Amino acid sequence: MIVVVQGSKDFDDYQVFLRAMGVAMSGMSKEDAEFYIYSVGPARINSMVSEFCNLSERGMKARGMKIKHYKAPPEWVKENMEYVNYFAFLSKPKQSTSQLVAEAELKGIEVGIFRY
């Protein structure tokens, strides 16, 4: 499963981020052996993704699954959108979403918008 995570500059709620990852993982099929997260940023979101992957690695490995994270520029995500299974966008209330969210929705990718 391939998940893209992007957020606003002032998003900082790790608990909401964990909820977003829980929603993404609940969409995994039994055949999925890999959980790849492509983090678009900003830096605070990249740090959350890194921490989540590092903490989850042992548990996922015990279930025969891999978890990895990559930092990706928005251009790369646009070019490879057809491979994405889930897109999570994290922001504070009343903030607008990004252009990548609109493109993901146009391509029929499941998008989760978490605003808290």
Side-chain angles (χ1 to χ4, degrees):
M1 178 172 209
I2 296 175
V3 175
V4 173
V5 178
Q6 185 180 33
S8 62
K9 290 180 183 179
D10 57 348
F11 181 82
D12 61 354
D13 193 334
Y14 190 69
Q15 294 300 317
V16 173
F17 168 77
L18 287 177
R19 183 178 307 151
M21 293 298 94
V23 170
M25 293 178 92
S26 70
M28 293 179 74
S29 67
K30 295 188 187 287
E31 294 81 36
D32 283 333
E34 297 148 349
F35 190 75
Y36 296 140
I37 304 174
Y38 289 87
S39 181
V40 181
R44 192 174 291 156
I45 300 295
N46 292 342
S47 295
M48 288 182 192
V49 169
S50 177
E51 181 179 347
F52 174 76
C53 289
N54 290 337
L55 293 173
S56 302
E57 188 173 19
R58 186 178 295 171
M60 297 282 279
K61 197 174 203 179
R63 292 178 183 87
M65 301 172 72
K66 287 185 198 177
I67 184 167
K68 290 190 176 202
H69 70 280
Y70 304 95
K71 292 180 190 173
E75 296 79 29
W76 185 90
V77 174
K78 284 180 191 178
E79 293 170 6
N80 295 285
M81 193 69 79
E82 67 262 15
Y83 303 111
V84 174
N85 301 106
Y86 187 77
F87 193 110
F89 185 80
L90 309 159
S91 70
K92 299 262 182 161
K94 298 182 183 179
Q95 291 180 327
S96 61
T97 59
S98 70
Q99 183 63 34
L100 280 178
V101 171
E103 288 187 31
E105 288 175 335
L106 284 174
K107 296 206 177 190
I109 295 166
E110 185 179 356
V111 175
I113 299 172
F114 299 84
R115 289 186 174 134
Y116 293 97

